């Protein structure tokens, strides 16, 4: 006599007393973190509106804040990918400086708009390639490799400029910074930043490349055993960071109309801080592009409020430092509860 076959057990059925997997709470925590960052940004806007209503809420001022944030924001997108993978890039500011001065030499400007843009991107990607090869295939610690690139790129930028400012004379480049180039009141630099942000979000959250990046940052050995070429993935990530630096260098050229060896000063700290505030773990394995972008906007809103209220820069730096410490403490508390 045939025995009745019992239906297969649902592997997702709840077991009394069993704890749900920790990963199931990640979307909720991410949404809560994003809402918290939006709340902080909204509070800063209210503070700016109360302290300097005419100046802060002026359309030109808001456009200025977004434009300035766009340059560091593009760098932060690349930095987020690197940190999610468990790495770090201390050379982004120096790469921006080198790309900006190399792209604004007299020889380069002879090739016009295309020559400046092409040079900035090639220099950025080239520096990222050096970082990636040293770290992925040279087994160098990311901190040391990118620190060496920081010193080398800064030195080369100084050598190219001889300490002088290189003025851009290409009209098509300068015109992008004029108000006539705005589309529906949005500066072109902000639109580029928005496009980079959307692409970065899609790559990190909707592609195999993004999943591999998270896997490498979470557990490199497990990622290797799962068939991921960890070294190649890390190389690609530093190439991506270099690409973002090249784009940011071009945006900075448009914004300032010049190339200087001091460009990109402390961009690495701003980008790392913005990523941390946005919820990216320094140990790797977790991060959001949305959070990083909100972190950038928070930083530049604070800078603008302090400038409008004539507050000293040292107080501004103290405030930024306090925000970074608070963000790290929140990360640690969140990690301890998972």
């Amino acid at each position: 006599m045939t025995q009745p076959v019992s239906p297969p057990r649902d592997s997702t059925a709840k077991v009394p007393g069993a704890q749900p997997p920790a990963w199931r709470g990640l979307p909720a925590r991410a949404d809560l973190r994003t809402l918290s960052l939006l709340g902080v940004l909204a509070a800063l806007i209210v503070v700016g509106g109360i302290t300097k209503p005419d100046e802060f809420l002026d359309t030109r001022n808001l456009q200025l804040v977004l434009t300035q944030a766009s340059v560091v924001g593009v760098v932060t997108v690349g930095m987020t990918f690197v940190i999610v993978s468990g790495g770090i890039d201390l050379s982004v500011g120096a790469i921006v400086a080198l790309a900006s001065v190399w792209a604004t030499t007299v020889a380069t400007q002879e090739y016009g708009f295309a020559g400046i843009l092409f040079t900035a991107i090639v220099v950025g990607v080239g520096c990222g390639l050096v970082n990636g090869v040293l770290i992925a295939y040279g087994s160098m610690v990311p901190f040391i490799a990118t620190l060496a690139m920081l010193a080398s790129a800064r030195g080369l930028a100084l050598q190219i400029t001889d300490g002088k400012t290189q003025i851009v004379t290409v009209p098509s480049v300068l015109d992008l910074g004029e108000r006539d180039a705005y589309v529906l009141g949005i500066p072109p630099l902000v639109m580029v930043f928005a496009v980079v942000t959307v692409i970065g979000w899609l790559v990190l959250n909707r592609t195999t490349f993004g999943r591999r990046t998270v896997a490498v940052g979470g557990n490199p050995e497990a990622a290797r055993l799962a068939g991921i070429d960890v070294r190649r993935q890390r190389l690609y990530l530093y190439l991506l960071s270099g690409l973002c630096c090249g784009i940011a260098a071009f945006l900075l050229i448009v914004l300032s109309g010049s190339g200087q060896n001091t460009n990109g000063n402390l961009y690495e700290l701003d980008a790392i801080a913005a990523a941390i505030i946005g919820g990216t773990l320094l140990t790797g394995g977790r991060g959001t592009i949305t959070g990083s972008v909100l972190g950038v906007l928070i930083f530049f809103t604070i800078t603008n409020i302090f400038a409008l209220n004539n507050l000293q820069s040292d107080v501004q730096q103290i405030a930024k430092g306090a925000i970074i410490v608070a963000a790290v403490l929140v990360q640690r508390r969140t990690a301890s509860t998972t």
Side-chain angles (χ1 to χ4, degrees), residues 79-162:
M79 181 69 79
T80 300
F81 276 89
V82 171
I83 298 178
V84 168
S85 71
I88 198 73
D89 192 347
L90 301 179
S91 64
V92 290
I95 294 175
V96 169
L98 178 59
S100 68
V101 300
W102 207 324
T104 54
T105 60
V106 175
T108 304
Q109 292 193 52
E110 291 180 356
Y111 294 92
F113 183 98
I116 293 176
L117 176 60
F118 177 78
T119 302
I121 291 179
V122 167
V123 172
V125 173
C127 291
L129 176 62
V130 174
N131 281 336
V133 170
L134 290 176
I135 294 167
Y137 295 96
S139 300
M140 289 188 67
V141 178
F143 181 90
I144 300 300
T146 57
L147 185 62
M149 175 59 71
L150 183 156
S152 301
R154 282 287 178 195
L156 185 54
L158 178 60
Q159 187 178 47
I160 292 174
T161 61
D162 196 24

Side-chain angles (χ1 to χ4, degrees), residues 28-66:
R29 287 195 296 273
D31 291 341
L32 179 60
R33 188 181 302 108
T34 301
L35 291 175
S36 300
L37 292 171
L38 287 172
V40 172
L41 183 59
L44 289 173
I45 293 175
V46 171
V47 171
I50 293 175
T51 57
K52 291 288 182 178
D54 295 333
E55 294 91 340
F56 181 79
L57 297 178
D58 183 72
T59 302
R60 290 178 179 268
N61 182 64
L62 296 178
Q63 289 172 337
L64 176 63
V65 173
L66 291 175

Side-chain angles (χ1 to χ4, degrees), residues 263-308:
N263 282 344
N265 187 35
L266 297 181
Y267 275 16
E268 57 276 1
L269 298 183
D270 288 339
I272 293 171
I276 293 173
I277 291 174
T280 301
L281 289 179
L282 278 174
T283 53
R286 192 183 76 191
T288 66
I289 299 296
T290 303
S292 297
V293 169
L294 289 174
V296 172
L297 295 178
I298 288 173
F299 266 171
F300 277 86
T301 302
I302 292 174
T303 301
N304 185 254
I305 292 174
F306 275 57
L308 291 177

